[in-house]
Amino acid sequence: MARITVSGVSEIRGPIIIIEGVTGIRMGEYLEVNLPNKPSRKGRVLAIEEERVIILLYQGTYELEKDEIETEFFGRTMQLFVAEDMIGRVFNSQGEPLDGLPSIYSDEYRDINGSPINPTSRIYPRDYIETGISSIDSMNTLVRGQKLPIFTGAGLPNNQLIGQIVKQARIVGADSEDKFAIVFGAMGLTMDDYIYFQRLFEETGTLNKVVMYTNLASDSAAERLITPRVALTTAEYLAFDKGYHVLAILSDITNYCQALREISVALETVPSRKGFPGYMYSDLASIYERAGIIEDSQGSITLIANLTMPNDDITHPIPDLTGYITEGQIILDRSLHNRGIYPPIDVLGSLSRLMKDGIGEGYTRKDHPSLSNQLYASYAEGLDKRRLAEVIGKKELNRRDQILYEFADKFEDNFVNQGDVYRSNEDSLNLGWSLLSNLPETELTKVSEDLIREHIHNKGADSD
Amino acid sequence: MPQSTKERARIVTIKGSTVEVRGLSSYRMGEITYVGEERLIGEIIEIERDFATVQVYEPLEGLKINDPVHLTGKSLSAELGPGLLSNIFDGIQRPLEQIKKATSSSFIQRGIHINALDRHKKWQFEPSKDLTKGNLVKGGDVLGFVQETETIKCNILVPPNTNGELLSIQDKGEFKITDPIAELEGSDKKKKELTLMHEWPVRVARPFLKKLPVSEPLVTGQRIIDMFFPITKGGTAAIPGGFGTGKTILQHQLSKWSNADVVVYIGCGERGNEMTEVLREFPKLVDPHTQNPLMDRTLLIANVSNMPVAAREASIYMGITMAEFYRDQGYSVLLTADSTSRWAEALREIAGQLEEMPVEEGYPAYLGARLANFYERAGQVVTLGAPYREGSINITAAVSPPGGDFSEPVTANTKRFVKTFWGLDSNLANRKHFPSINWLNSYSGYIKIIEEWALEANLEDWGRYRQEMFTILQKDDELQHIAELIGSKALPADEQLIILVAEIIKEGFLQQNAFDKIDSFCPIEKQMKMMKLMLLFYNRAEVLIKNGCPISLIISLKTVQILKRMKEDIQNDNIIKMNKIEDYIHTDMEELGSKYGYKV
Ligand SMILES: Nc1ncnc2c1ncn2[C@@H]1O[C@H](COP(=O)(O)OP(=O)(O)O)[C@@H](O)[C@H]1O
Ligand SMILES: [Mg+2]
């Protein structure tokens, strides 16, 4: 398509520039602003009103001089060259190398916005991923192709948890021939966190499997809007064209949403809650929904995202809208963390919506569904008793309540608090049963008699 | 409206999901337009002097100023005829399976024009016996039928607002959906061919003869609904709840197990995988009422969260129009929409692009009116035409309040128009109490009607059981507040018994695991029996307590566990086993009674 070049702009406002008196420009078109003696800046057409074109510049407008600007419109949307060689490389948000190696050249390129997957082409995800973490595997099972954010708070060990997942995750019974890759999208990360991830990939020997897209806290906010899209475009290519099982890690969604708000304010859109734009739900969906598995492709995209809840508030629009889109969430809890429990996963608040189809006979173990139901129920009751004890004192609890109280403690101390070590799901489930065996049998109403016999009575007989 | 060849409409602005168009002297509100070279589908939603604003159902990337806009003269319409059932459509009724085939792609591309109904497929049409040439027919009259799926016979109707003398009608035979099957001559002497399908503008409610009062329950197999907060056929219910409280699972359950004839499931701005799940699962499930595959009576609309918002806005109307089509054939239809909040957000987004004045949280002033309009299309009706038919539409709609706060505009407005409110509760969901319908703040406006129905259906105990259980749960709630301060140990034994029985009811009755093979669907007979047993337990234990039996002995009775587990342990049709529990209760209680020197 023919490129159009225009000199000068009529308005500069925040990251937005407006050019007047130009025709033939396309909605959503990619463009570059060329500056004398400076690197060019990239942008996108956001709206067109007759001969007025409204443009978002990803690197902002700082130090732009109104009359020295020359804008080159490309006649197409922003595209990314894609190739398997991207694996092991580090790029900025526009796909330019940051690792000193040459740029990617390929005859294949993709529109970074992607297209919605036809629901009739999706394969419903069912293959469970063993992360080696009890609170996830047994209680909030992760499935290949799932999108699962980690709702965390400032100072909680969410990165350590992701690190542990990267180290330990495996698909039971998976083919060792399976091609595996990680796509990492850093969105507004601090240098510390960024280095943490780099180390993690080095230490886990995955560095040569990672494609990194880097937008640091010091980089432009507008650019942050394209980081996840570039990352997921790469993930889609690797998964759906090349058959890789891709683990996409995005960090941090909160930084992304703040950038989204910043831009929408500059565009004077009507804000909804807390100043975030009304379209934030759809915008986030256009990111998260790119995970999954499709027919006629060997690969998959599993998406894990860090999301820092502002003030630990889960009702804040960022975690709230995310929870409405993703297939569950892992919540980290400050009070567990303060008590030295690692990983501090809030087992009851967390959820894996795909768990139900990924566990049980033929998937994990026959007793898994009802065992986890029993553990949730007894733990929830135990927490009630803990709250009660805070009011009336533990001694005032009746016998039954005391047992439940102690169950909650043991569950947290032994089951949740496993430390940064691997525990097989098999072991986690067995640990679950052994914790339940401390409860009177009349409490075990979520598990069948057969299961009780098999896992509690017979166990007892063995060890006696 | 034919478009004069000299006039040419073209794009003058492009913004969000709308374009502004200029160049014609007149436009019609709601007119369908094809935008740009790719002929993206759009609809006129605002007219100002010689401008019109078009909301476009596809992404606008690549459009230019001055690109041509073609007006079709048609309103956004649904194609109605056999072939809708077991199918899945997007928000403007494009068939997703066919899109996949036509494009050989797993992704949805733009500018695809595929008819909702297959133009090549042939259907076996059988004309109505009592119709002959020369008969006068009118809108709604049954011309004949086509066996659409194993379960559903699609009545071929004279379209609404059409009437005249029947000039001819085809004999039994195979016809494509657009083949003429009958010819009419109107009073204006104009001839009109009728086919197996017709079109209807989705924003206009289809006419019927009259509304009837609702009269019978929609049996859902979900205990807390059927027994506590029932809904009638033709009734409306809202399912508000924060994320993860179980809105979608509940709607799947309703779609699977309700005794409606036809189910229209609208996935409006929600997850792709949830639609896939329905697509994969329903064909394998058997309708407990007809024993046919569930998919035979089901029609899906999938406008998932990352599909264009304008089409999301349209999807609700598309769904309700198709529901009305089956209602008009004389069926009871369940329409379930997940989630109306996403639809309202689409309204908000488009209103924002039109720079309309927002009222509350950015929503336009007409949010309430649009919701009212939608819920008004539910109900039990006498249809137009002969023979006499009654049909109904249920609407059960999820609402997704931000932060789970029910005072927000969409929940608050919805409450004004629905009769039943199944409020989902995050606290219950967090402790995995599902369905997480809160029994203290939910309500049904149909209790009286169901009570009358129950009397006739030999379920005369329904009202009483319900009331007794409710009373226990309400007392329990009060006691829980006290127990939170002093511990339950300090409560008198009769109050501790109430807490125990409430726990049996909550765990053993209200909780219902959608993924349990047996308990996913619970027939009414079993539901009634379960209530009876739990109340029997309570009544007998109450007497024992009065006579000084310690509560601890009752708490540790094996029957407590049995009562909590009978929903999953006992096959739904095993009446003998259920009756045995009654014996256990009597035996247990008598044993305790004799210990305490008291005959019960
Ligand atoms: N009736 C039920 N039985 C068992 N689990 C349920 C039930 N309803 C909901 N759940 C659990 O809650 C999760 C979230 O339910 P879902 O309907 O997807 O919530 P929402 O649509 O409100 O976000 C499900 O994945 C499932 O684990
Ligand atoms: Mg849902």
Side-chain angles (χ1 to χ4, degrees), chain A residues 26-27 44 48 50 116 118-122 281 320 324-327 356 384 388 392 441 445-446, chain B residues 12 14 61-63 96 100 106 108 269 271 273 276-277 280 342 401 403 431 483 485 507 511 515 565:
Chain A
R26 289 171 187 276
M27 178 67 166
R44 167 183 162 90
I48 315 173
E50 306 215 49
N118 187 327
T120 65
S121 304
R122 280 188 186 266
Y281 176 84
D320 190 52
Y324 275 117
I325 303 166
T326 52
E327 285 147 347
K356 59 187 165 62
D384 290 347
L388 178 60
I392 63 172
E441 235 171 73
T445 51
K446 307 276 174 192
Chain B
V12 291
I14 311 166
E61 269 79 27
L63 288 179
L96 289 170
K100 175 167 78 178
S106 299
I108 296 178
R271 301 180 184 84
N273 269 332
T276 309
E277 187 184 2
R280 304 279 178 261
R342 305 301 164 220
R431 46 190 312 139
L485 297 173
E507 267 194 55
Q511 289 187 20
F515 314 122
R565 286 208 48 85

Side-chain angles (χ1 to χ4, degrees), chain A residues 424-444:
Chain A
S424 72
N425 185 39
E426 190 78 23
D427 287 347
S428 298
L429 295 174
N430 294 342
L431 177 58
W433 280 111
S434 95
L435 289 170
L436 287 179
S437 66
N438 294 315
L439 295 177
E441 235 171 73
T442 44
E443 291 298 322
L444 305 183

Side-chain angles (χ1 to χ4, degrees), chain B residues 79 128 211 222 254 305 309 344 383 544:
Chain B
E79 289 191 356
S128 296
K211 268 218 169 150
Q222 310 305 302
L254 295 174
S305 56
V309 290
T383 68
L544 283 174

Side-chain angles (χ1 to χ4, degrees), chain A residues 324 353, chain B residues 244 246-249 251 270-271 274 338:
Chain A
Y324 275 117
R353 293 165 190 269
Chain B
K247 299 178 294 297
T248 303
I249 300 285
Q251 287 183 306
E270 293 286 314
R271 301 180 184 84
E274 288 172 351
D338 189 12

